[in-house]
Amino acid sequence: MNANIHLIGLNHRTAGVDIREKYALSSLEAFEKMLVHGPVREALALSTCNRVEILIVSDGSPAAADHVLHCWAEACSQPVSGLVSHTYIHENEQAVEHLFRVAGSLDSMVLGEPQILGQLKEAYRKAVESGTAKIVINRLLHKAFFVAKRIRSETGVASSAVSISYAAVALARKIFGELQGKRAMLIGAGEMAELAAMHLLGAGIEHICVANRTFARAEELAARFKGTAIPFDALYSKLPEVDIVISSTGAPTAVIHARDMKQVLKKRRHKPMFFIDIAVPRDIDPDVNQLDNAYLYDIDDLKEVVEENLAQRRDEAEKASTIVREEVQAFSHWLGSLELQPTIVDLLSSGERIAQRELQKTLRRLGPDVPEETRKALEVLVTSLAHKLYHEPIVYLKRRAREEGPAERFVHNVRRIFNLDEETVPEDAHVCRHKPSSLSGDQICQDKPQ
């Protein structure tokens, strides 16, 4: 494999939530465009509550990783020195393996949780639209989606998997014992909040209210779970009425502050109040935990709940790891084929195979009495025709390589035109390319490698 794929990142294992929130990326498209200069030719960034992953394809320069770290720190207005002890840098096969493990949810805090795949598809969609995902990242991400599908269909790693939202509600149950008769507020109305609402109702919560900056979305979520929507500006007026707050907004700074919570707790006559903050950056000021009768838990406090669930599926994770290793080898083979010489060899071999198939059909039609001299003449004819047919594509590739250096784009196109990798592509695989602005994560073209 060429030494030009790098994956630089940090996650819940290498950095606490206080570090993750400082280096969370908010505008992925702008960041990816910032990256694609100098030694970086392609880029994709993923930023979630538990990880930041930055995938690049470089020209092989050793300065590529430093370029990424400096851009990352600049985008977050933080020093590079703050990243050094918390980041990992994977190259080539290690980078591919790490990406496949992320896509397959083998690297998640909650093993087997399904949200990470949707988040990765969304990150890929943004990279495609920003023009920073090209030949290698396109192929690598489609392969990652394929690996994730194999893991889900061929192993039990996703069975009984939980989500961060489930873990948050499980933590609430540990705190209260039973949730019947309790009232909860969800701050934020995204997927995390939706899952939390579902699990809260399942646990017997009495009532849910939803606060969100987009009130229509709060109304929609509240209606689905027979709750109450409240304007974001009225959040503090409703807090005294709830026992549990689960917050999961995408706000860059805290939305609940310790100074304001003093009055809220006073109105509750100092009855206990529990906050579970699963957002990164955190939504709730850590100083809230210093107030009497206020108990604050962040996403890192969910690890104990997650470990209980993880123990049930370790064997399945081993099977999934085997799939990852198989697919890393397959991807390495494809990447190696982007070199000019292997593609020329594959072109000629493909032509010779077709020529031999046609020759055998012709010989069967002519019958068993074909003279040996005629058989040899036919063989020379078909082989010569195959070589001549592929002569112009080979000359074209060599010329582009001489004129432009690495000819990956042209090699890639030739391999697809002649289907040298023998892929099976559905007829509707590229329909979505006509409507790029309306793509959802699940609609990204699935011309996946087999």
Side-chain angles (χ1 to χ4, degrees):
M1 182 179 287
N2 289 338
N4 59 4
I5 298 178
H6 309 256
L7 195 150
I8 298 104
L10 56 78
N11 63 22
H12 56 96
R13 293 191 187 87
T14 66
V17 65
D18 57 325
I19 299 296
R20 299 202 302 276
E21 66 185 358
K22 288 181 182 175
Y23 291 94
L25 293 166
S26 56
S27 178
L28 297 182
E29 295 99 323
F31 176 66
E32 288 159 349
K33 288 177 180 175
M34 182 195 304
L35 281 180
V36 181
H37 292 289
V40 177
R41 289 151 46 185
E42 302 183 41
L44 175 146
L46 167 71
S47 186
T48 74
C49 58
N50 274 329
R51 66 181 63 248
V52 174
E53 307 281 357
I54 303 167
L55 177 69
I56 63 163
V57 178
S58 79
D59 61 3
S61 166
D66 282 345
H67 172 72
V68 171
L69 289 172
H70 279 87
C71 287
W72 185 0
E74 183 181 339
C76 299
S77 302
Q78 297 290 333
V80 178
S81 57
L83 282 169
V84 174
S85 60
H86 299 287
T87 50
Y88 40 80
I89 300 176
H90 299 306
E91 294 183 354
N92 305 313
E93 288 193 1
Q94 284 186 338
V96 173
E97 180 172 352
H98 182 81
L99 179 70
F100 289 176
R101 292 185 67 82
V102 169
S105 191
L106 301 179
D107 197 58
S108 296
M109 174 186 280
V110 181
L111 179 68
E113 54 90 8
Q115 285 78 32
I116 187 63
L117 182 58
Q119 291 164 335
L120 188 58
K121 286 183 175 179
E122 178 65 12
Y124 174 55
R125 184 185 65 80
K126 290 179 178 176
V128 169
E129 291 185 354
S130 67
T132 60
K134 300 175 184 174
I135 293 171
V136 176
I137 284 185
N138 281 337
R139 179 75 174 209
L140 183 51
L141 267 291
H142 283 299
K143 189 74 172 176
F145 303 149
F146 174 67
V147 171
K149 184 177 180 181
R150 271 198 71 187
I151 289 173
R152 290 193 172 277
S153 59
E154 296 179 26
T155 76
V157 75
S159 61
S160 304
V162 300
S163 62
I164 290 292
S165 300
Y166 173 89
V169 174
L171 179 61
R173 293 183 73 168
K174 281 193 170 187
I175 294 165
F176 283 101
E178 292 297 331
L179 298 186
Q180 291 176 350
K182 304 296 181 188
R183 299 172 70 85
M185 176 186 288
L186 301 177
I187 304 177
E191 184 182 4
M192 290 277 207
E194 187 173 339
L195 288 170
M198 183 177 69
H199 294 305
L200 282 169
L201 286 177
I205 202 83
E206 180 183 295
H207 183 76
I208 293 173
C209 59
V210 182
N212 192 56
R213 289 192 189 278
T214 304
F215 187 61
R217 175 60 186 149
E219 286 184 308
E220 181 185 336
L221 185 61
R224 190 180 310 170
F225 296 100
K226 298 181 180 177
T228 305
I230 56 174
F232 201 79
D233 294 344
L235 185 153
Y236 278 100
S237 67
K238 293 293 180 182
L239 277 175
E241 301 172 15
V242 302
D243 306 292
I244 302 166
V245 176
I246 298 180
S247 193
S248 60
T249 79
T253 56
V255 297
I256 292 184
H257 302 277
R259 61 178 180 273
D260 301 314
M261 282 307 303
K262 291 179 181 176
Q263 287 301 315
V264 172
L265 289 164
K266 188 175 179 181
K267 288 180 181 176
R268 283 178 59 80
R269 298 184 179 180
H270 298 287
K271 286 192 297 184
M273 195 169 179
F274 292 82
F275 299 85
I276 303 175
D277 187 352
I278 54 178
V280 178
R282 285 173 288 185
D283 286 339
I284 302 174
D285 179 358
D287 286 346
V288 167
N289 207 31
Q290 304 305 316
L291 302 175
D292 290 341
N293 300 307
Y295 301 89
L296 171 62
Y297 301 83
D298 63 36
I299 193 166
D300 285 353
D301 293 318
L302 304 180
K303 286 180 180 174
E304 184 181 342
V305 177
V306 168
E307 281 296 319
E308 291 174 5
N309 185 267
L310 172 66
Q312 303 167 11
R313 284 170 289 124
R314 289 194 190 280
D315 291 344
E316 296 304 314
E318 280 302 311
K319 294 178 188 173
S321 295
T322 300
I323 291 173
V324 167
R325 289 191 288 272
E326 289 173 3
E327 296 299 341
V328 169
Q329 290 305 309
F331 183 78
S332 297
H333 175 75
W334 173 82
L335 196 60
S337 74
L338 289 184
E339 295 290 328
L340 187 58
Q341 193 58 35
T343 294
I344 292 174
V345 172
D346 287 348
L347 265 176
L348 293 174
S349 299
S350 172
E352 289 170 0
R353 284 196 302 273
I354 294 170
Q356 284 299 320
R357 280 201 302 269
E358 296 307 312
L359 174 64
Q360 296 307 317
K361 288 180 186 174
T362 300
L363 291 175
R364 281 196 296 273
R365 282 198 296 272
L366 293 175
D369 299 328
V370 177
E372 180 64 16
E373 187 175 319
T374 301
R375 194 192 64 76
K376 286 183 178 178
L378 286 171
E379 185 165 2
V380 170
L381 173 66
V382 297
T383 303
S384 176
L385 277 173
H387 286 182
K388 286 185 181 301
L389 284 171
Y390 286 111
H391 176 72
E392 287 303 325
I394 290 171
V395 169
Y396 170 79
L397 284 176
K398 287 181 175 177
R399 186 170 63 246
R400 301 314 298 246
R402 277 198 307 274
E403 294 171 350
E404 303 188 23
E408 290 172 355
R409 179 159 61 94
F410 306 106
V411 170
H412 175 70
N413 288 339
V414 166
R415 295 193 71 84
R416 297 199 72 177
I417 290 169
F418 293 97
N419 196 20
L420 297 182
D421 297 306
E422 299 182 351
E423 296 177 2
T424 302
V425 182
E427 290 184 2
D428 61 349
H430 304 137
V431 170
C432 58
R433 286 182 181 168
H434 301 296
K435 304 184 275 187
S437 62
S438 62
L439 284 179
S440 71
D442 291 334
Q443 290 172 317
I444 292 171
C445 298
Q446 293 295 306
D447 49 343
K448 55 186 180 292
Q450 299 296 318

